[in-house]
Amino acid sequence: MDFTATVLLLSAVAVPSFADNAASKARSCSDVRQFYSGKGFTLHGVPQSEISGEHLRVCPQGYTCCTSAMEETLSNLSRREFEGLVREAGRSVQASLNAQYRNVDTYFLELLDGSERWLEESFQTALGGLYGPNAGVFRDLYADLRRYYRGASLNLEEALDEFWARLLERLLKASAPATAPFTDDFLECAAKQTETLQPFGQAPGELKTKVARTFIAARAFVQGLTVAGEVVRKVSQVPLSPECNRAIMGLMYCPHCRGLGMLKPCANYCKNVMKGCLANQADLDSEWENLIDTMLQVAASFGSNPSMDSILHSIPVHVSEGLRTMQENMEIYTSQMLQACGNPESTQSSLTVEGKKFSTVTVLEYKPSSNAAVRLEVQITDVSSKLKEMDMYWIQLPQALCNSKAAPSPASDDNCWNGMTKARYLPQVIGDGLASQINNPEVDIDITKPDMTIRQQIMQLKIMSNRLKNALNGNDVDFQDNSDDVSGSGSGMCTDGLCSHSGPRINSSGDRTRISAYPSENKASGTVRQAHPSIALVLLSLTSVLLRR
């Protein structure tokens, strides 16, 4: 074959090839236009066919159906959608915490109300005509207990001591003749001798030991639920960083710009993007798990012997024991008090409360019903199961957000969007937390600059865990709030319309628990834990719009 024939043959082969390339470069953008308009955007300026992609700043710069304006619009959309998904996931956890708060709070206050009713019914008979004029002493005791439980700045042990002192004063006043009442100086002296002379025997000490421990634990527990909800709310509102915004855009909408909108992202590609974008949030995991574990211990203590139900109903029991002891030892106490405080104008014999006013007090005995025991067990089991479900929330969140739209792996390893084209995603999945992101191929993160809002919330978790651990030992920690984190505008679980108007709140009044800052510690956890299926299912339902094509 001569040179001319060879040239003609090659030309004949090359012409259709060139035509095919030209046709491929001019592919229609009808699918992209339909997708773009479906998102609510105008088609003005949207290409009819593919154009050169040198102008793209996020997506691969091959032939594309996206202009610069379209890329920016879709980037903003991806940011809003991703932030919305994170907030929605947070709201589901807040709703669960809020429901548990209402259940525990309602149960506890019902027990306390029942205890007060029992005291009132019993003492109306035991004290006779003395009860009515002095009923305020007992009502004030229960009011102080409620205020303390609500988070008031109140020393519980001092409040219990004050109750016994006021009760003694009222009984002494009632014992004096109307013609010769005791002077204020004498009553004040008698009150000061209470601890030494112990007119009520061991009842005040036993009441203080049992009741204080239970109330400290109950208050710390419901505040733990509140703090957990507030942490979730604040962390879920942390805005997307510019680097994460680029990665989310690449994951969600760059496939459309490349004409590959039907492809799902590769599973490991999605995981790396989500782990990078939620790296700071994952650092909550250690202290979050610590808080949940400590709350589970406190919840378990409610059912230990004696149970919460028995302790709250022991208040009337201990008061009746104290009154009975005072009746039985009135002469001895009177003699000792007169030696310490002097003889008032009234006669010594007048210090004995007349029988017609103060009948013999029968020591009460509380026998919990089987229904009460079952209800307490149900309360503890329910709140414990819900807390366990959210134990791994922060490190399960990236996977949950990918479950809805990412391609299954490994079945579709080659039939997925890898960030550039339709092909296998080769990089390995990186670990959880900020420190692991140094090797993240998808999200460029400065691991030396953690998010300060999230660091503050890690500290709040640490503070609350410390309080709960002290509560387990019967110790109340006096916090001072140097930030707006915990005692801000109401409960963290009462946001976004989640809080029932009929349900009680913590920190909704001026009596707010004050919280102070403890030194922060960063704990790197390398422990691999089995993912809990329940929270993943909850989060999965929230991601139906993620990566929507």
Side-chain angles (χ1 to χ4, degrees), residues 58-134:
V58 177
C59 299
Q61 294 183 334
Y63 281 94
T64 181
C65 286
C66 289
T67 63
S68 295
M70 291 174 64
E71 186 183 44
E72 182 178 358
T73 298
L74 292 174
S75 180
N76 291 334
L77 176 63
S78 67
R79 173 181 53 79
R80 293 193 300 271
E81 290 182 345
F82 179 78
E83 291 177 346
L85 287 171
V86 174
R87 285 194 298 270
E88 185 65 24
R91 280 193 288 266
S92 71
V93 177
Q94 285 178 264
S96 178
L97 289 166
N98 189 37
Q100 295 312 306
Y101 169 78
R102 289 197 305 269
N103 291 341
V104 173
D105 181 77
T106 300
Y107 174 72
F108 185 83
L109 290 178
E110 284 180 358
L111 290 180
L112 191 58
D113 291 343
S115 172
E116 185 175 18
R117 285 193 302 271
W118 186 39
L119 183 146
E120 182 177 354
E121 294 167 358
S122 301
F123 284 18
Q124 281 178 345
T125 301
L127 299 183
L130 281 176
Y131 180 78
N134 300 293

Side-chain angles (χ1 to χ4, degrees), residues 21-29 48-50 63:
N21 289 337
S24 65
K25 293 177 185 178
R27 281 186 302 182
S28 171
C29 292
Q48 296 284 348
S49 58
E50 287 185 329
Y63 281 94

Side-chain angles (χ1 to χ4, degrees), residues 168-191:
L168 175 63
E169 178 183 344
R170 293 298 185 92
L171 292 176
L172 290 175
K173 283 184 178 180
S175 72
T179 57
F182 294 136
T183 64
D184 290 341
D185 290 341
F186 181 82
L187 292 173
E188 183 179 354
C189 176

Side-chain angles (χ1 to χ4, degrees), residues 184-427:
D184 290 341
D185 290 341
F186 181 82
L187 292 173
E188 183 179 354
C189 176
K192 290 180 179 179
Q193 302 302 315
T194 302
E195 184 175 354
T196 303
L197 302 181
Q198 295 186 334
F200 299 107
Q202 301 300 315
E206 293 176 357
L207 177 65
K208 183 187 299 184
T209 300
K210 293 180 179 179
V211 170
R213 191 182 191 96
T214 297
F215 271 80
I216 289 170
R219 180 166 90 157
F221 187 80
V222 293
Q223 287 178 344
L225 293 172
T226 302
V227 169
E230 185 71 358
V231 167
V232 172
R233 183 185 70 83
K234 291 195 172 187
V235 171
S236 298
Q237 292 177 346
V238 171
L240 211 60
S241 68
E243 295 79 14
C244 179
N245 195 4
R246 291 176 59 88
I248 291 294
M249 170 62 186
L251 180 79
M252 296 176 69
Y253 292 128
C254 282
H256 292 276
C257 291
R258 291 284 289 171
L260 298 172
M262 76 296 295
L263 289 181
K264 293 183 177 182
C266 299
N268 289 349
Y269 169 47
C270 182
K271 291 177 185 177
N272 278 344
V273 171
M274 295 299 176
K275 289 193 174 193
C277 288
L278 299 171
N280 281 282
Q281 288 85 337
D283 281 346
L284 286 157
D285 177 64
S286 178
E287 289 302 329
W288 179 264
E289 180 191 3
N290 191 26
L291 176 69
I292 297 297
D293 289 347
T294 309
M295 291 184 69
L296 289 172
Q297 295 177 47
V298 174
S301 72
F302 295 154
S304 61
N305 191 23
S307 67
M308 175 189 288
D309 175 47
S310 297
I311 290 175
L312 291 186
H313 281 88
S314 75
I315 298 174
V317 174
H318 290 304
V319 174
S320 67
E321 289 174 347
L323 291 174
R324 179 64 177 268
T325 299
M326 185 174 182
Q327 275 189 325
E328 294 174 345
N329 299 281
M330 194 65 172
E331 291 184 6
I332 298 175
Y333 169 69
T334 297
S335 175
Q336 294 174 336
M337 184 179 62
L338 290 175
Q339 290 178 8
C341 301
N343 193 357
E345 295 180 4
S346 55
T347 63
Q348 177 176 344
S349 61
S350 69
L351 289 172
T352 302
V353 180
E354 299 175 15
K356 63 181 179 180
K357 290 183 179 179
F358 192 0
S359 60
T360 302
V361 174
T362 301
V363 176
L364 302 177
E365 182 181 2
Y366 175 68
K367 296 180 179 180
S369 66
S370 57
N371 289 338
V374 170
R375 187 181 178 197
L376 176 59
E377 182 180 357
V378 170
Q379 288 288 333
I380 296 173
T381 301
D382 187 50
V383 71
S384 298
S385 64
K386 293 299 189 298
L387 289 173
K388 289 176 182 177
E389 288 177 4
M390 60 185 70
D391 182 40
M392 298 175 63
Y393 171 71
W394 297 108
I395 59 172
Q396 285 183 336
L397 186 56
Q399 177 65 60
L401 294 178
C402 284
N403 281 342
S404 177
K405 292 295 183 179
S409 180
S412 303
D413 278 353
D414 296 321
N415 190 31
C416 57
W417 171 254
N418 68 1
M420 296 296 294
T421 188
K422 175 184 175 181
R424 180 186 298 268
Y425 182 76
L426 299 178

